[in-house]
């Protein structure tokens, strides 16, 4: 089984307040026009690689829109997994979250049998990164204990994608340089006979370099390189 995971495309922030951390936007944003392009570049790349597996997404709008674009390009459907959602970093919920029916009405590639318990937004107050790692680790344990027959693409956020990377770094013993999680960047790990092998790490070369972003930051920003 091949496990791939990708960050969502660039969100359409609208009137986000100055000083807000754009890496952790406080709402349920859809993709910007550029983010939609990035998601389709990701989908075209996966189609060229012959991807015909299962797409599983965080239920946030920016991730499901990314998953929907990839599914369109690959002629597939996608499913939902709340444990891939963004880290909760505000005392109050950043958004109520869409139900499965609401997602399906806006994103037609959601599988007819996809389920989503509601409310799905992480309960409680501010969530530490370690909490994200625990819920992502638990999901990976379930996934690898009963691996599906097809390959998998997981679509998440900066925190959940980084948690996936840390999980698989530990499984492979990788201690080298990490790569930034650019919007729509793609990692790949192959799982066979209980062994995990890293093949790609936060790859983004299928997107034109002038269209590579980290939410609102452009590639080449000294903060990102």
């Amino acid at each position: 089984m091949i496990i791939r995971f990708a960050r969502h495309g660039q969100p359409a922030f609208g009137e986000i307040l100055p000083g807000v951390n754009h890496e952790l936007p406080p709402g349920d944003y859809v993709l910007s026009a550029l983010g939609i392009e990035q998601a389709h570049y990701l989908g075209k790349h996966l189609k060229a690689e012959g991807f015909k597996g299962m797409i599983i997404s965080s239920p946030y709008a920016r991730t499901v829109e990314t998953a929907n674009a990839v599914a369109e390009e690959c002629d597939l459907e996608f499913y939902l997994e709340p444990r891939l959602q963004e880290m909760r970093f505000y005392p109050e919920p950043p958004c109520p979250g869409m139900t499965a029916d609401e997602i399906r009405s806006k994103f037609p590639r959601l599988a007819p049998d996809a389920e989503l318990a509601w409310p799905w937004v992480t309960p409680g107050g501010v969530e530490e990164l370690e909490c994200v790692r625990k819920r992502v680790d638990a999901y990976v344990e379930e996934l690898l204990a009963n691996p599906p027959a097809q390959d998998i693409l997981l679509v998440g956020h900066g925190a959940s994608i980084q948690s996936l990377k840390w999980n698989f770094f530990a499984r492979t013993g990788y201690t080298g340089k990490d790569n930034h999680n650019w919007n729509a960047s793609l990692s790949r790990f192959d799982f066979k006979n209980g062994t995990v092998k890293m093949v790609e790490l936060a790859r983004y070369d299928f997107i034109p370099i002038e269209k590579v972003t980290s939410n609102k930051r452009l590639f080449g920003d000294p903060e990102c390189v």
Side-chain angles (χ1 to χ4, degrees):
M1 177 180 66
I2 297 172
I3 301 176
R4 296 177 173 89
F5 36 89
R7 189 183 181 190
H8 57 76
Q10 178 178 287
F13 291 111
E15 297 301 320
I16 194 167
L17 295 174
V20 170
N21 184 352
H22 294 100
E23 293 296 294
L24 296 169
D28 199 13
Y29 300 93
V30 296
L31 298 182
S32 65
L34 175 57
I36 293 171
E37 279 191 84
Q38 292 167 340
H40 280 282
Y41 279 121
L42 172 61
K44 291 178 189 297
H45 171 71
L46 289 168
K47 180 180 180 180
E49 288 198 336
F51 176 72
K52 284 294 180 183
M54 178 181 288
I55 304 170
I56 304 173
S57 174
S58 153
Y60 273 98
R62 55 192 180 274
T63 39
V64 296
E65 189 167 13
T66 301
N68 193 76
V70 171
E72 285 179 351
E73 294 291 345
C74 297
D75 194 21
L76 296 169
E77 297 172 335
F78 71 94
Y79 291 82
L80 302 167
E81 175 49 64
R83 284 174 288 185
L84 295 175
Q85 69 180 275
E86 181 60 282
M87 178 170 64
R88 179 171 170 176
F89 52 98
Y90 289 95
E92 298 299 322
C95 68
M98 292 183 287
T99 65
D101 287 342
E102 288 172 326
I103 293 172
R104 189 171 286 109
S105 70
K106 298 177 181 179
F107 305 103
R109 287 285 175 168
L110 182 64
D113 59 336
E115 298 179 351
L116 179 64
W118 197 91
W120 52 261
V121 173
T122 303
V126 174
E127 186 181 28
E128 300 294 335
L129 183 55
E130 188 60 32
C131 297
V132 182
R133 294 187 68 174
K134 286 180 179 179
R135 59 174 157 85
V136 169
D137 286 349
Y139 177 58
V140 172
E141 285 293 334
E142 290 180 15
L143 201 59
L144 297 186
N146 296 286
Q150 68 266 59
D151 297 337
I152 294 175
L153 170 69
L154 305 177
V155 183
H157 306 261
S160 55
I161 292 300
Q162 189 61 46
S163 295
L164 285 166
K165 288 163 66 177
W166 282 329
N167 183 291
F168 283 92
F169 287 168
R171 293 176 186 276
T172 60
Y174 180 73
T175 57
K177 182 181 177 181
D178 196 357
N179 292 338
H180 186 75
N181 300 314
W182 300 98
N183 293 127
S185 59
L186 181 69
S187 295
R188 170 181 166 176
F189 289 78
D190 292 3
F191 179 69
K192 185 176 182 181
N193 299 325
T195 301
V196 180
K197 177 184 177 183
M198 184 171 71
V199 179
E200 296 175 344
L201 182 60
R203 178 180 179 182
Y204 55 87
D205 59 343
F206 47 85
I207 303 172
I209 198 66
E210 69 275 10
K211 295 178 185 266
V212 175
T213 61
S214 182
N215 284 1
K216 291 195 75 172
R217 295 187 290 176
L218 298 175
F219 184 85
D221 185 325
E223 294 183 42
C224 294
V225 175

